[in-house]
Amino acid sequence: EAQVTQNPRYLITVTGKKLTVTCSQNMNHEYMSWYRQDPGLGLRQIYYSMNVEVTDKGDVPEGYKVSRKEKRNFPLILESPSPNQTSLYFCASSDRTLNYGYTFGSGTRLTVV
Amino acid sequence: GENVGLHLPTLSVQEGDNSIINCAYSNSASDYFIWYKQESGKGPQFIIDIRSNMDKRQGQRVTVLLNKTVKHLSLQIAATQPGDSAVYFCAERYSSYKLIFGSGTRLLVRP
């Protein structure tokens, strides 16, 4: 089954404790992207990657890092999480045309206390 | 997502009625548009798309209309069912790698 898999689904952590949210896709997609979704603000892009070793900032990159060492994986790293990063996070992937848009993962609910 | 519906405009319809959800998009240069459905606890899912050289496209029970003059998209759902209850939002393809998402509308279907 074609899918984007992200883990964990739920995570509660404390301020300053480094964490990684993993994302993997099995569709051989070139593009991958991370979004956060907050009430009233919709989906906002954090980082995106157009191919292996090619990443760029989205609209809200502060406090986040990403890497794209392999085509299928695109982890999101929070080096020092803060409470304002409490959010619902989605990983997504697409082919290079963006036809049919992005295929999204099921989401990671992150709470930073 | 669990709280994605907060602060969103809400459309409440009776089961069996038709629903119309509207979206204003940002950029005249956008060439491709998508409607997504997001059910509680899930990621957004593709419903239907339309290219800028079209003004109407039909799927199964759904129709998308595009009015480029006023930069407006609409999603029509025929014979709305309880399973259609979700948040719906549009996305525009602004460049070869950039999708811009609208903020969404919550659809509630009354039995």
Side-chain angles (χ1 to χ4, degrees), chain A residues 15-90:
Chain A
T15 299
K17 185 177 180 181
K18 181 180 179 180
L19 66 92
T20 299
V21 184
T22 64
C23 175
S24 180
Q25 51 95 3
N26 63 0
M27 295 164 281
N28 200 36
H29 282 164
E30 289 85 1
Y31 289 0
M32 296 188 76
S33 189
W34 276 102
Y35 290 87
R36 62 178 288 174
Q37 189 175 41
D38 302 288
L41 297 175
L43 282 164
R44 295 181 292 166
Q45 192 177 47
I46 302 170
Y47 269 94
Y48 64 95
S49 169
M50 296 174 75
N51 216 323
V52 176
E53 302 291 2
V54 180
T55 64
D56 208 347
K57 297 177 180 178
D59 301 315
V60 287
E62 293 78 21
Y64 304 95
K65 284 176 57 177
V66 292
S67 68
R68 188 94 181 272
K69 293 182 170 49
E70 306 162 284
K71 197 171 187 179
R72 63 182 292 125
N73 296 323
F74 190 46
L76 178 70
I77 302 154
L78 284 73
E79 294 269 4
S80 183
S82 62
N84 66 10
Q85 293 178 298
T86 292
S87 187
L88 180 59
Y89 291 87
F90 289 102

Side-chain angles (χ1 to χ4, degrees), chain A residues 9 37 97 99-100 102 109, chain B residues 2 4 32 36 38 41 93:
Chain A
R9 286 294 311 273
Q37 189 175 41
T97 67
N99 287 339
Y100 305 108
Y102 277 109
R109 168 66 68 182
Chain B
E2 292 81 36
V4 71
Y32 177 64
Y36 283 93
Q38 186 175 17
R93 184 172 67 188

Side-chain angles (χ1 to χ4, degrees), chain B residues 98-110:
Chain B
K98 182 78 171 178
L99 279 184
I100 300 172
F101 291 90
S103 55
T105 297
R106 182 169 58 175
L107 176 65
L108 293 176
V109 181
R110 305 187 304 273

Side-chain angles (χ1 to χ4, degrees), chain B residues 46-98:
Chain B
F46 173 97
I47 303 173
I48 190 168
D49 59 356
I50 188 167
R51 299 190 184 281
S52 59
N53 61 354
M54 305 169 68
D55 52 24
K56 180 179 180 179
R57 186 149 193 249
Q58 287 184 288
Q60 189 174 13
R61 281 201 309 117
V62 293
T63 300
V64 55
L65 299 178
L66 175 62
N67 184 332
K68 293 184 288 293
T69 304
V70 294
K71 294 191 288 186
H72 183 268
L73 272 171
S74 68
L75 176 71
Q76 301 177 1
I77 304 174
T80 312
Q81 302 169 358
D84 295 326
S85 292
V87 174
Y88 292 82
F89 50 91
C90 64
E92 58 183 295
R93 184 172 67 188
Y94 178 57
S95 70
S96 61
Y97 59 89
K98 182 78 171 178

